[in-house]
Amino acid sequence: MEQLTKRLLTSLEIIASKSSDQITKCDESIVKCKELIYTLKKHILDYTFKTLQEEIHFFKEIKQIPLSNVIYYSKLRSFLVNFPIGNIDIQKAYTIKKMEKINRFMRYNHHFIQYIRQGRTELDQYYFTRAHFDGKGMNHYRDYYGDADFCSSHDILFAKYVAYKRLAKFLKKRLSNLSDCNESCNICENSNLKWTLSNTAYVELIYALVSARALNNGQIDISELDKTLSKIFNHESGDIYKTFSEIRRRTKSRTKFLDDLSFHLRNRMDRHDS
């Protein structure tokens, strides 16, 4: 089972490195996590743990990898889908509200969270075996389980803690970016630059910058980069994903704009050399 979880983590890293938008990456990650959860469930329902420690290891370590990830990507997707289009103050208020919800969860479950943070194990047989499961918490996460034989009393709670801690890190970064954006948005909105080539050329540039990891080591969404550059270049990009699909279907060069860039740059250097 350890090999299955390692393969999942590798798959999630590959998905994260893609140039597709973040919601699409969340969707793909959720599918991968659920596939492993259902595989583990099928195995466990037909399996008898040999020792108490083996059962604890499964619910505390093995199952936590797909479970915490599916909760994280589900919560992240919900955040992104519902992220307001309004001004930055509205976006910051929305993000802060999500942070407050995580803080309430942490406060409400502080005894168990402290137990985990301190690396204690004396209550593991109660928290991470099925013997003490009473069915609470199944309603909200029944899609991940579907059977009381596949969960312990605290494995859901542990997974939520891991996922929320990771989500809080994302939200803090988002808040920081919004604050930075608030300072620089006037510069973007007052830009005198104007994109004067075709929209397909613009989309080529967007995807090339992300694919080459030219910005933030590639850890940036296509839509996020488009939002910024479209303001700087005073350009209406429309549906960039549809345009990219059209570029991919070209019968000749699929990187016409980039080829032209290289050609014109070489010509400029040749002129300076002569």
Side-chain angles (χ1 to χ4, degrees):
M1 287 187 286
E2 281 83 357
Q3 289 300 318
L4 293 176
T5 56
K6 287 180 180 178
R7 270 190 294 233
L8 172 65
L9 292 175
T10 299
S11 296
L12 295 179
E13 288 178 1
I14 292 172
I15 292 171
S17 67
K18 290 183 177 180
S19 59
S20 53
D21 71 285
Q22 202 158 8
I23 294 176
T24 299
K25 290 191 281 191
C26 284
D27 288 336
E28 293 180 14
S29 298
I30 290 169
V31 169
K32 290 290 184 183
C33 291
K34 285 189 174 182
E35 285 176 352
L36 180 53
I37 288 172
Y38 294 137
T39 297
L40 293 177
K41 174 188 170 185
K42 184 177 179 181
H43 172 75
I44 291 304
L45 294 181
D46 296 326
Y47 181 78
T48 301
F49 290 108
K50 297 179 178 63
T51 64
L52 190 66
Q53 286 304 315
E54 185 185 17
E55 183 172 1
I56 291 171
H57 177 69
F58 174 79
F59 287 107
K60 191 177 182 181
E61 306 291 340
I62 301 297
K63 185 183 173 185
Q64 287 301 314
I65 293 176
L67 183 57
S68 62
N69 273 287
V70 77
I71 294 175
Y72 168 72
Y73 285 112
S74 297
K75 295 295 182 182
L76 177 59
R77 185 186 189 282
S78 176
F79 172 83
L80 295 171
V81 167
N82 295 292
F83 193 73
I85 303 176
N87 62 37
I88 291 178
D89 288 336
I90 293 174
Q91 293 174 344
K92 288 175 72 174
Y94 172 79
T95 307
I96 291 171
K97 185 176 180 181
K98 295 296 181 182
M99 283 289 294
E100 290 173 347
K101 184 176 180 180
I102 292 176
N103 287 330
R104 284 197 301 272
F105 169 84
M106 297 295 184
R107 288 195 300 269
Y108 186 79
N109 298 288
H110 70 278
H111 289 300
F112 175 70
I113 291 172
Q114 192 70 9
Y115 174 85
I116 294 297
R117 284 175 174 171
Q118 292 174 349
R120 292 157 55 190
T121 58
E122 72 272 13
L123 297 176
D124 279 4
Q125 62 178 317
Y126 301 102
Y127 290 156
F128 299 108
T129 65
R130 294 168 293 183
H132 301 277
F133 176 69
D134 59 6
K136 292 180 181 179
M138 284 282 286
N139 291 335
H140 297 296
Y141 293 97
R142 59 181 176 271
D143 288 342
Y144 306 149
Y145 312 98
D147 197 304
D149 291 331
F150 187 57
C151 51
S152 69
S153 67
H154 281 64
D155 66 336
I156 302 173
L157 188 60
F158 187 22
K160 288 182 71 174
Y161 163 65
V162 173
Y164 281 6
K165 187 169 64 168
R166 186 176 172 190
L167 184 62
K169 187 176 180 180
F170 171 87
L171 295 177
K172 288 178 183 177
K173 184 176 180 180
R174 176 60 66 97
L175 274 175
S176 176
N177 290 341
L178 287 171
S179 297
D180 292 342
C181 182
N182 205 14
E183 296 176 0
S184 61
C185 65
N186 288 334
I187 298 174
C188 293
E189 291 176 355
N190 295 324
S191 170
N192 292 320
L193 298 175
K194 177 70 176 178
W195 184 263
T196 53
L197 293 180
S198 68
N199 188 53
T200 53
Y202 170 84
V203 173
E204 264 191 59
L205 176 63
I206 290 282
Y207 273 85
L209 289 172
V210 174
S211 300
R213 298 176 178 269
L215 301 166
N216 297 349
N217 291 316
Q219 298 302 307
I220 184 172
D221 287 338
I222 292 291
S223 58
E224 185 179 348
L225 181 57
D226 172 46
K227 184 187 296 184
T228 301
L229 291 187
S230 63
K231 289 180 181 179
I232 295 175
F233 294 148
N234 290 294
H235 176 69
E236 292 290 337
S237 58
D239 189 342
I240 58 175
Y241 304 111
K242 180 180 179 182
T243 303
F244 183 62
S245 296
E246 293 170 352
I247 291 172
R248 290 170 53 206
R249 292 196 295 270
R250 285 173 175 169
T251 55
K252 295 182 179 180
S253 173
R254 296 198 293 180
T255 56
K256 183 178 182 302
F257 170 63
L258 299 178
D259 295 341
D260 287 345
L261 274 183
S262 178
F263 172 78
H264 290 299
L265 178 59
R266 287 197 303 270
N267 276 353
R268 189 184 188 99
M269 288 190 288
D270 290 342
R271 289 197 304 271
H272 281 279
D273 292 340
S274 60

